Amino acid sequence: MSAAAQTDQPLLEIRDLTVDYRRPGGSTQAVRGVSFQVARGETVALVGESGSGKTTIGRAVLGLHHRNAQITGSIRFSGTELVGLAEAGLRRLRGRRIALIPQDPLAGLNPVHPIGEQVSESLRTHGLATGAEARRQAVQILERAGLDDAANRYYSYPHQLSGGQRQRVLIGIALAAEPDLIVADEPTSALDVTVQRRILDHIEELVTQSGTSLLLVTHDLGVAADRADRVVVLQHGQVVEQLPAADFLNSAEHPYSQRLAAAAPTIDSEPLVTQLPQTQENDAAQPLVRAQGLTKTFPVSGGGSVTAVDAVDLTLRPGQSLGVVGESGSGKTTVARMILGLSDPDAGSLTLAGLGHQDYRSRSGRKELRRLIRPVFQDPYSSLDPAHSVATSIAEPLRALTTLSRSERQRRVTELLEQVHLPSAAAGRKPYELSGGQLQRVAIARALAVRPKVLVCDEPVSSLDVSVQDQILRLLAELREAEGLSYLFISHDLAVVRQVCTEVVVMRHGQVVERGATREVFAAPEHEYTRELVAAIPGSRVRQQV
Amino acid sequence: MTGMVLPGAPAEGTVPARADGLKSRAAHLLAQPGLLLSLAVFAIVIAWAVAPGVFATHDPVTDLDANARLAAPSASHWFGTDLLGRDVYSRVVHGTRLSMLAGVIAVTLSLVVGSLLGMLSAYVGGWLDAVVMRTVDVMVAIPGLLLSMAAVSILGFGVINVAIAVGIAGIPAFARITRAETLRILSRGYFDAARTSGTGHLGILIKHVLPNASGAVMVLAALELGGAVLSVAALSFLGFGAVPPTPEWGSMVAEGRAHIATAWWLTTFPGAVIAVTVLASNRVSRGLRMRQR
């Protein structure tokens, strides 16, 4: 993806772009005076956190902005002014010369039409081919987009394909008319890391071959650094910095870009937790969690069953922070649910701090286990009851599991809010009044309330922006030392696991494929799948070049 | 070590100031004249029901004006008079209490029984769910009015029995919506969070399921109130309800039916009051739904 001749006019030139969302009783400025260019054959990444306006800009280029959006400024696409262009004019460009790869591969395809028809439809719409010829070309396009066995899949429906395959179909549709510019809006954020890497490799290859320009909208700084020629950093709807992608993670000049880059966990960010010294005392200590041959199967509709967790062994000793890593469907969440007593194992044994899994069945055993092992769930917007105040949510385990009086509970809630660095004024608030990061802090406070020994964190930061993610990870590391906690940390994100885990277990198809000390596993992965996972961590390419 | 606070990220150390709830709510109401009007209708109906003596111009039963039988609406008889010379307006006002009471009893019965069944059905699942929901399906298969008539035949005549019968016919709607709401809540993260916090089944139902399901259920209740008033009126019209001379909206329409050609006001005014009350109830229900987004 070399930069095109500098003398040429840029393919896309955005100048002083402002987008206002009008609402009853005022308007919100999502984009404020943004200017940047995309040269022919260049890949430009728009990065920023939620609310930075990156998606709004992508939509405005395609003329797909919301009806309430008022656009001023200029978007010139190879000599044509797009701002104020009539719908008919936009339609001639859209799909034909500017194409979109959307974020959600399921929502991007029409569920009632075969995928092949959806590709040939775009060929027919743009008058590029008709009838059998369109069908023949559609198969070729799907093959080029990397869909295996494209001829036989022509009549497949979207639900019959995996997420990665669907994204390939969408890439095929975007490339069908050989456009000059592709806008890819978070093209891989719904996909597993290894699939993500293959898709990004493929987009890159196709773009290079055809000399297409790519406007890559992404929140993933690693992806931006790896895949783009230039990075445009946005904050509050304004451009804070534009710089070559190679410099982004290491030598950004603007403080905001620097902080973003520092917050993004990559393959060599400094770990936040330290390994406990290997003393005999630690080794001899009774494990807090010990699973042996743990197995869980689920019945499948239409008969049969699927083994979600297949003879998994794992041990969490006091003071350890054990990462369980895997992609969707690897069984990692099912393991967590069994440890939390939300699901019963079908076979194998599960020892929890001297108690057994069967103790979840008795009232007193359950109480003891619920006090020792506490969860932090993925989505704080969902894990906190919208009808309850923050204080009520935090106090819930105190009411159910302790005999504290009302005033003692109140005191403990105040103490906990302080511990997770929230102001005491947060106690009376309802969840909708707080941000995602603040809510996750509330969820952590609720987990800590009864002074547990183990926190089971199931993807605790995956729904948060990078800077907030970094803050939460730091908080978890801090609390681990202050409270002497042990973590079972479930995540799909290896870079995150690398930061907060001392030990790691890699799962695939319900089985453990590799285990060991985090540093060793990352430095010298033994299993082929682990190697693939480590290589797929975004940001690793740039680092290797340095 | 609090971690750094980016200028772009919401600062973790501050919580947003509270919006002025009362003020914004008032502004919200003023922007919807239809809702405001409906609430006014409700206020009048409630006032009629609570203190009919204050609003009525005549006694509804004993005040027989021998000089003005079947008189058309006039300054002294706003809604006209009936065959015995009773003031129709006063009878409508005095009939409010019985009609509304019947409506409220009917909806309360449907709401309590239906919600309980729906909630338990979703929470327990398995055979209980199957039995309850199939029973509900059977109830839905029978027209509501027919079901109420069958129930009233068993219970005996009278407005309260009519209300109970209408309430029974309203159970399926509440059972279904509460079941759906409960299932939605059980799939949310805070259900797992409550279980792992040691909260028992009853605690989960009362503290988590009820408050979160109540929004949708209240919307339905407001909607059903209108429907129940209508059903009670219909059953009274058919002669299952109030016994003459007790004033009741549905019975009044029925009594006036014989004179519809000569004295239109006997049926029109009570009928219009029923219609306006039902419409207002529907509009309030829509307002409640909007407030939940």
Side-chain angles (χ1 to χ4, degrees):
Chain A
M1 279 188 271
S2 62
Q6 294 298 317
T7 51
D8 268 7
Q9 269 221 321
L11 181 68
L12 180 73
E13 184 173 16
I14 294 181
R15 211 177 281 190
D16 289 327
L17 181 70
T18 299
V19 183
D20 276 308
Y21 283 112
R22 280 168 302 176
R23 287 176 295 115
S27 69
T28 317
Q29 216 165 38
V31 178
R32 317 174 193 196
V34 162
S35 305
F36 68 92
Q37 302 179 344
V38 181
R40 284 178 198 279
E42 192 185 27
T43 296
V44 173
L46 285 180
V47 303
E49 301 192 283
S50 29
S52 63
K54 55 187 192 301
T55 296
T56 306
I57 295 172
R59 300 246 132 200
V61 169
L62 283 149
L64 291 176
H65 46 270
H66 194 266
R67 224 182 310 161
N68 292 342
Q70 194 170 24
I71 297 189
T72 53
S74 154
I75 304 175
R76 282 190 90 75
F77 172 74
S78 84
T80 312
E81 177 59 52
L82 301 186
V83 174
L85 191 64
E87 181 61 25
L90 276 173
R91 220 168 339 177
R92 265 196 298 279
L93 289 174
R94 218 186 277 147
R96 180 72 188 84
R97 300 196 57 200
I98 311 178
L100 169 75
I101 303 179
Q103 171 166 16
D104 184 345
L106 191 54
L109 289 168
N110 189 332
V112 299
H113 292 299
I115 52 156
E117 288 295 319
Q118 299 190 45
V119 179
S120 49
E121 182 202 343
S122 75
L123 290 171
R124 281 195 294 269
T125 310
H126 298 302
L128 296 171
T130 51
E133 176 61 16
R135 193 162 306 152
R136 202 182 56 75
Q137 284 191 18
V139 171
Q140 272 181 3
I141 286 164
L142 286 172
E143 268 167 7
R144 241 187 323 158
L147 188 73
D148 305 324
D149 202 14
N152 287 325
R153 287 221 164 94
Y154 186 90
Y155 287 108
S156 297
Y157 286 90
H159 71 268
Q160 295 169 317
L161 305 183
S162 71
Q165 287 171 332
R166 282 197 287 261
Q167 195 57 284
R168 286 177 195 275
V169 175
L170 285 169
I171 291 169
I173 292 175
L175 293 171
E178 295 175 352
D180 301 318
L181 173 69
I182 295 175
V183 178
D185 186 359
E186 305 272 9
T188 56
S189 49
L191 304 173
D192 279 330
V193 271
T194 52
V195 183
Q196 178 178 2
R197 185 167 77 130
R198 269 177 245 131
I199 296 283
L200 287 170
D201 281 348
H202 203 80
I203 293 179
E204 186 175 319
E205 198 184 306
L206 294 172
V207 164
T208 314
Q209 274 173 12
S210 56
T212 308
S213 304
L214 180 65
L215 183 62
L216 182 65
V217 177
T218 181
H219 72 285
D220 191 325
L221 306 170
V223 166
D226 275 355
R227 306 288 169 172
D229 298 318
R230 270 189 317 124
V231 174
V232 177
V233 185
L234 292 163
Q235 183 195 16
H236 300 325
Q238 286 174 314
V239 174
V240 300
E241 190 169 7
Q242 301 193 28
L243 71 171
D247 299 341
F248 174 52
L249 290 179
N250 303 311
S251 47
E253 277 174 16
H254 192 278
Y256 178 72
S257 328
Q258 285 174 356
R259 271 176 291 187
L260 265 188
T266 54
I267 187 67
D268 54 11
S269 4
E270 207 47 44
L272 297 169
V273 295
T274 48
Q275 201 105 21
L276 287 187
Q278 282 280 334
T279 60
Q280 284 187 332
E281 193 184 327
N282 274 345
D283 273 353
Q286 189 184 38
L288 291 167
V289 176
R290 186 188 194 98
Q292 280 171 313
L294 197 62
T295 300
K296 177 81 186 173
T297 54
F298 290 110
V300 181
S301 58
S305 66
V306 60
T307 306
V309 176
D310 190 359
V312 164
D313 298 340
L314 57 83
T315 309
L316 175 70
R317 292 183 192 285
Q320 280 185 336
S321 171
L322 175 65
V324 179
V325 175
E327 303 191 324
S328 42
S330 64
K332 55 192 196 302
T333 293
T334 309
V335 169
R337 290 182 69 82
M338 286 191 279
I339 291 170
L340 289 167
L342 293 172
S343 175
D344 291 324
D346 292 328
S349 76
L350 189 54
T351 321
L352 303 163
L355 295 165
H357 186 272
Q358 65 285 350
D359 287 308
Y360 270 120
R361 290 198 201 113
S362 75
R363 182 179 278 263
S364 60
R366 190 162 55 226
K367 223 170 171 177
E368 182 65 14
L369 283 167
R370 298 253 188 255
R371 208 181 59 69
L372 285 171
I373 304 174
R374 303 279 303 131
V376 176
F377 295 104
Q378 173 173 7
D379 180 5
Y381 289 98
S382 153
S383 74
L384 293 165
D385 190 329
H388 290 188
S389 72
V390 163
T392 311
S393 283
I394 294 178
E396 184 168 19
L398 293 173
R399 271 194 310 274
L401 300 171
T402 68
T403 54
L404 296 184
S405 72
R406 195 186 174 79
S407 60
E408 284 170 325
R409 286 203 300 263
Q410 262 170 13
R411 236 189 338 264
R412 179 79 181 127
V413 167
T414 315
E415 209 174 284
L416 285 160
L417 283 174
E418 197 180 317
Q419 213 172 0
V420 297
H421 309 298
L422 283 175
S424 50
R429 299 307 166 89
K430 291 281 174 66
Y432 71 88
E433 295 179 88
L434 303 182
S435 69
Q438 289 174 328
L439 292 178
Q440 198 58 299
R441 282 170 196 265
V442 172
I444 292 171
R446 174 174 62 187
L448 292 178
V450 289
R451 304 184 197 280
K453 291 218 167 92
V454 181
L455 285 200
V456 177
C457 308
D458 189 359
E459 302 270 12
V461 294
S462 62
S463 60
L464 306 172
D465 271 332
V466 276
S467 61
V468 182
Q469 176 175 331
D470 185 60
Q471 293 169 27
I472 297 292
L473 292 177
R474 282 172 195 278
L475 175 69
L476 286 172
E478 175 192 332
L479 291 170
R480 174 172 170 266
E481 282 181 29
E483 297 278 304
L485 289 167
S486 306
Y487 289 147
L488 190 79
F489 197 96
I490 314 281
S491 181
H492 72 284
D493 190 332
L494 280 88
V496 166
V497 164
R498 202 178 153 280
Q499 277 191 295
V500 294
C501 295
T502 56
E503 267 77 25
V504 67
V505 162
V506 181
M507 283 187 72
R508 186 189 201 189
H509 303 320
Q511 290 174 322
V512 172
V513 296
E514 185 158 359
R515 66 177 78 234
T518 310
R519 201 169 308 164
E520 282 145 36
V521 170
F522 277 75
E526 276 172 18
H527 194 277
E528 189 197 348
Y529 178 65
T530 317
R531 273 201 290 274
E532 204 183 331
L533 279 179
V534 171
I537 300 178
S540 44
R541 273 217 303 208
V542 170
R543 302 293 170 142
Q544 280 159 16
Q545 287 162 9
V546 173
Chain B
M1 194 170 58
T2 43
M4 54 197 110
V5 178
L6 295 189
E12 301 292 314
T14 59
V15 288
R18 271 210 159 132
D20 189 347
L22 207 64
K23 213 177 191 175
S24 73
R25 211 170 280 179
H28 195 66
L29 257 181
L30 284 175
Q32 304 181 76
L35 183 59
L36 217 55
L37 194 70
S38 303
L39 288 172
V41 167
F42 252 150
I44 292 172
V45 168
I46 289 169
W48 283 1
V50 172
V54 176
F55 296 92
T57 49
H58 299 74
D59 185 277
V61 182
T62 59
D63 209 348
L64 308 175
D65 189 344
N67 300 324
R69 287 184 183 157
L70 286 181
S74 64
S76 55
H77 299 292
W78 298 346
F79 289 0
T81 61
D82 66 6
L83 193 60
L84 302 172
R86 293 175 299 192
D87 183 55
V88 173
Y89 166 71
S90 300
R91 284 180 63 76
V92 167
V93 171
H94 279 273
T96 309
R97 184 180 287 177
L98 204 52
S99 290
M100 288 312 286
L101 183 69
V104 170
I105 288 176
V107 171
T108 310
L109 179 78
S110 320
L111 185 139
V112 172
V113 177
S115 303
L116 219 58
L117 283 177
M119 209 160 78
L120 282 177
S121 184
Y123 195 81
V124 178
W127 65 266
L128 183 76
D129 189 27
V131 169
V132 170
M133 292 327 284
R134 291 305 78 75
T135 312
V136 161
D137 287 348
V138 171
M139 285 174 78
V140 170
I142 307 168
L145 207 58
L146 194 66
L147 193 65
S148 305
M149 278 158 70
V152 116
S153 310
I154 297 165
L155 294 168
F157 291 7
V159 175
I160 301 304
N161 287 346
V162 163
I164 293 171
V166 170
I168 291 172
I171 289 173
F174 282 93
R176 283 183 166 177
I177 199 160
T178 319
R179 177 173 179 272
E181 279 295 294
T182 309
L183 287 177
R184 179 184 69 82
I185 291 160
L186 297 188
S187 73
R188 302 290 291 169
Y190 55 82
F191 169 61
D192 281 341
R195 276 176 78 193
T196 52
S197 292
T199 307
H201 296 303
L202 198 62
I204 287 176
L205 285 176
I206 292 171
K207 286 184 203 139
H208 295 286
V209 176
L210 263 185
N212 285 294
S214 64
V217 175
M218 282 305 144
V219 171
L220 184 66
L223 194 66
E224 288 282 303
L225 181 63
V229 168
L230 205 59
S231 296
V232 170
L235 286 167
S236 290
F237 174 84
L238 293 174
F240 291 101
V243 186
T246 319
E248 198 278 334
W249 293 352
S251 327
M252 289 178 68
V253 177
E255 286 163 23
R257 197 171 38 133
H259 308 282
I260 197 154
T262 51
W264 54 270
W265 53 89
L266 289 186
T267 46
T268 306
F269 285 108
V273 169
I274 295 172
V276 168
T277 309
V278 171
L279 276 176
S281 152
N282 287 359
R283 181 64 188 86
V284 169
S285 165
R286 193 155 70 96
L288 281 174
R289 197 169 62 223
M290 291 302 172
R291 234 188 55 189
Q292 295 180 35
R293 273 173 294 156

